[in-house]
């Protein structure tokens, strides 16, 4: 005693209307589950505290004001020590041709020793 497919589909339509769900008789993937979820952006943004003014902002706003940033001074001092030891960051290339001069791509082979 099987029920006709059309009656089952009608029942599904009514059921979806009552429970406010999407009518999808073919059961295709529509992405409704993801679209119904709460948005995460506002809660993630509210998690982090608001940004406050930094020494850099004060220096940009008032260039004539003399400020002292200990962290920045420590960073610059550390970089100068590294550069003095030869451990600093490499210089940036200015043009494409400049990088080709430094690295040609192929190594030259050393001449083979000749038997005497």
């Amino acid at each position: 005693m099987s029920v006709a497919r059309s009656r089952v589909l009608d029942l599904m339509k009514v059921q979806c209307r009552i429970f406010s769900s999407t009518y999808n008789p073919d059961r295709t993937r529509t992405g409704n589950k993801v679209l119904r979820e709460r948005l995460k952006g506002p809660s993630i943004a509210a998690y982090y505290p608001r940004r406050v003014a930094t020494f850099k902002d004060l220096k940009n706003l008032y260039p004539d004001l003399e400020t002292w940033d200990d962290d920045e001074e420590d960073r610059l001092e550390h970089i100068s020590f590294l550069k003095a030891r030869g451990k600093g960051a490499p210089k940036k290339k200015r043009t494409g041709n400049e990088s080709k001069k430094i690295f040609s791509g192929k190594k030259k082979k050393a001449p083979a020793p000749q038997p005497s």
Side-chain angles (χ1 to χ4, degrees), residues 54-56 59 66-76:
T54 60
F55 283 108
K56 197 178 217 180
K59 205 177 258 189
E66 190 173 326
T67 57
W68 184 263
D69 186 6
D70 284 334
D71 293 333
E72 182 68 13
E73 294 298 324
D74 289 343
R75 186 184 76 82
L76 293 174

Side-chain angles (χ1 to χ4, degrees), residues 91-107:
K91 293 181 180 177
K92 293 183 179 179
K93 66 176 186 175
R94 289 179 291 233
T95 63
N97 291 336
E98 192 173 297
S99 66
K100 290 177 187 174
K101 289 178 188 175
I102 295 171
F103 179 73
S104 63
K106 292 184 179 180
K107 291 184 179 179

Side-chain angles (χ1 to χ4, degrees), residues 2 20-21 25 27 36-37 43 46 49 63-64 70 85-86 90 108:
S2 64
S20 298
S21 60
R27 296 188 179 181
R36 277 193 319 246
E37 287 180 1
S43 58
D64 54 328
D70 284 334
R85 290 185 359 211
K108 294 181 180 177

Side-chain angles (χ1 to χ4, degrees), residues 3-19:
V3 182
R5 179 164 168 78
S6 61
R7 299 239 2 209
V8 173
L9 291 178
D10 290 339
L11 178 65
M12 281 177 59
K13 277 184 192 175
V14 173
Q15 182 180 347
C16 290
R17 200 173 329 126
I18 292 171
F19 294 111

